[in-house]
Amino acid sequence: EDEVCHRRAPSADGDGACISGEAPAVTATSFREAARKCLLLGLRLCSKACEDTGCGYNSYPVWTLRSCGAGLPPIAPITEAPSPPPPTLPPPGLPPSPPPPPPS
């Protein structure tokens, strides 16, 4: 059976929100955070490439279960609460916004 890629959260109408935001407002996550998001939605990280399957993620790094090579440490089970969300990434090719000035 072919694995189905899920870029959107499951919903009654089949058109849920993009799991990590929709381009250009994609939210960066660590591998652990991405795996936890999937777990909480009853999904899992894909074990195949999922280009052209929605949310505009083709221009962004996407976590999968595909191997990066030998010698990598195993991933510990996810048991703790997620960390605070990271900042939203700018669209590819645009510089990040400058930090706000320090308070006076």
Side-chain angles (χ1 to χ4, degrees), residues 37-62:
K37 280 185 175 191
C38 287
L39 180 69
L40 292 173
L41 293 169
L43 304 171
R44 66 183 186 89
L45 292 175
C46 290
S47 58
K48 67 175 188 173
C50 295
E51 351 13 59
D52 300 324
T53 56
C55 298
Y57 293 169
N58 286 4
S59 298
Y60 296 88
V62 176

Side-chain angles (χ1 to χ4, degrees), residues 9-17:
S11 67
D13 64 5
D15 195 27

